[in-house]
Amino acid sequence: MPLKPRIQTKPKRRKKKQMTIAAGFFFKDGLLVCADREEASGASKKSVSKIFNINSEQWTIVGANAGSGPVADLAIKRLKWEFIKTFARSLGGLGALESPEERLENAIVSVLTRIHEDHIWKNTKTDHSMRLIIAINFFKTRQQYLYLTEDNIPQPISTYCCMGYGEDLCTYFAERLYHRELNKDEMALLASFIFREVNASVQYCGKGTDMVIMSQGVRPAIHIRPYGVEAIQNAIPEFSATMSKFWDHTKSLPEWLTQIGKVSEAEQPETTPSASQKAEPGQ
């Protein structure tokens, strides 16, 4: 009896959850990047910084990572040297033939492509995928750029971006409360509120929040540590308490709504039988 050929099955890749929440926001005259600090390993959790900061005399690059920690750490290390090499080619960090955006984007693509080719795309057993938020502040020219990476592609962002396990809730609040003309203080307040609600509601997000503010043309960036962010969050009223006060002070409903029941009652037919209906058949 001939043997049946063995069917080759593609090994299933073990999924890793993006156990984080990170976001970047433009505000009126700057950029703000923030991320939670929770990292889970098995049943244990620890607090680690997911914010990275790369400095030179002409620019500061701040970012956050979500996804596989080891791969993100390697990508950040290589990005640091690629940025230094790229922007050190000409005085002031700006090239004559390429715009700052092009030089920055080419550097990101170059590093992330190598990282994905070596450690992510060929790996069929473990999901080492990661995403980055990258913000850059040029001091002399006052130019600022914000990117959200997807695989090896840097997506330019003009307003805000969220990523990680708490992305949906972060986007929900940002879509309703954010606008580009917020000043530095208002943006820090809004980001603190969003991260408080996400960390309280979404599993795998928490252990405090790091926040970095990059004002246009200002060096260095301001790093607000978790205890500073917590102080801001403690000054913000609880969302549920604020909504409860709103409901308590809402004494009346729109007239069209209060009239619905009355109109329905008036249009209902009589349910009491008439005299003829009560009469026995044949009478």
Side-chain angles (χ1 to χ4, degrees):
M1 182 176 179
L3 294 176
K4 292 183 179 180
R6 295 182 62 183
I7 299 175
Q8 296 292 332
T9 58
K10 185 177 181 180
K12 292 184 178 180
R13 176 177 289 183
R14 291 180 295 170
K15 294 291 184 181
K16 281 189 176 181
K17 294 178 180 178
Q18 293 184 349
M19 301 174 185
T20 194
I21 174 63
F25 302 89
F26 271 105
F27 57 91
K28 187 175 182 179
D29 55 358
L31 276 167
L32 183 148
V33 177
C34 45
D36 80 323
R37 296 179 60 90
E38 182 171 315
E39 182 176 271
S41 178
S44 64
K45 299 178 182 179
K46 60 182 179 180
S47 176
V48 299
S49 176
K50 299 171 187 175
I51 296 283
F52 61 89
N53 196 332
I54 305 170
N55 296 297
S56 81
E57 289 297 318
Q58 301 296 331
W59 46 263
T60 291
I61 294 176
V62 172
N65 66 77
S68 173
V71 176
D73 291 343
L74 180 60
I76 292 163
K77 178 183 176 181
R78 292 187 180 179
L79 281 170
K80 175 181 178 179
W81 294 111
E82 188 69 20
F83 290 148
I84 291 173
K85 181 176 66 175
T86 297
F87 290 105
R89 290 174 188 162
S90 61
L91 184 63
L94 301 180
L97 299 178
E98 289 180 306
S99 68
E101 304 103 300
E102 290 173 322
R103 303 189 78 185
L104 180 61
E105 290 162 8
N106 289 337
I108 296 171
V109 170
S110 175
V111 170
L112 293 188
T113 298
R114 293 197 302 269
I115 291 287
H116 279 77
E117 287 176 345
D118 294 342
H119 305 287
I120 299 176
W121 290 332
K122 294 190 299 186
N123 194 330
T124 58
K125 293 183 179 180
T126 304
D127 183 7
H128 280 307
S129 61
M130 57 93 185
R131 301 179 75 189
L132 299 173
I133 289 174
I134 301 172
I136 185 167
N137 183 27
F138 287 100
F139 305 135
K140 188 175 181 179
T141 62
R142 300 174 61 87
Q143 292 171 297
Q144 294 185 315
Y145 305 96
L146 179 64
Y147 294 93
L148 174 64
T149 69
E150 185 71 42
D151 290 335
N152 63 331
I153 302 170
Q155 176 189 2
I157 303 296
S158 60
T159 51
Y160 72 88
C161 57
C162 310
M163 69 177 185
Y165 206 57
E167 178 180 347
D168 290 344
L169 189 55
C170 180
T171 302
Y172 173 85
F173 282 118
E175 187 67 19
R176 286 153 180 78
L177 302 173
Y178 166 85
H179 59 85
R180 177 83 184 243
E181 292 304 306
L182 293 174
N183 62 35
K184 171 178 65 67
D185 297 340
E186 292 167 337
M187 190 66 255
L189 193 65
L190 175 57
S192 298
F193 165 74
I194 291 175
F195 270 64
R196 186 189 69 180
E197 297 303 313
V198 172
N199 291 343
S201 305
V202 179
Q203 191 179 14
Y204 306 122
C205 296
K207 293 288 184 181
T209 300
D210 284 300
M211 183 181 297
V212 178
I213 297 172
M214 308 164 67
S215 297
Q216 281 183 344
V218 177
R219 181 179 56 181
I222 301 170
H223 190 167
I224 303 177
R225 307 290 177 177
Y227 55 83
V229 177
E230 185 177 0
I232 300 172
Q233 292 170 336
N234 290 339
I236 303 172
E238 288 295 328
F239 182 64
S240 57
T242 302
M243 291 306 300
S244 295
K245 289 181 181 179
F246 169 77
W247 297 124
D248 291 342
H249 288 84
T250 302
K251 302 299 183 183
S252 61
L253 292 168
E255 184 178 352
W256 62 264
L257 181 60
T258 59
Q259 296 300 316
I260 288 177
K262 296 177 182 178
V263 172
S264 299
E265 290 174 5
E267 291 178 350
Q268 284 181 357
E270 272 191 33
T271 55
T272 305
S274 62
S276 60
Q277 289 174 324
K278 289 180 182 179
E280 292 293 332
Q283 284 186 338

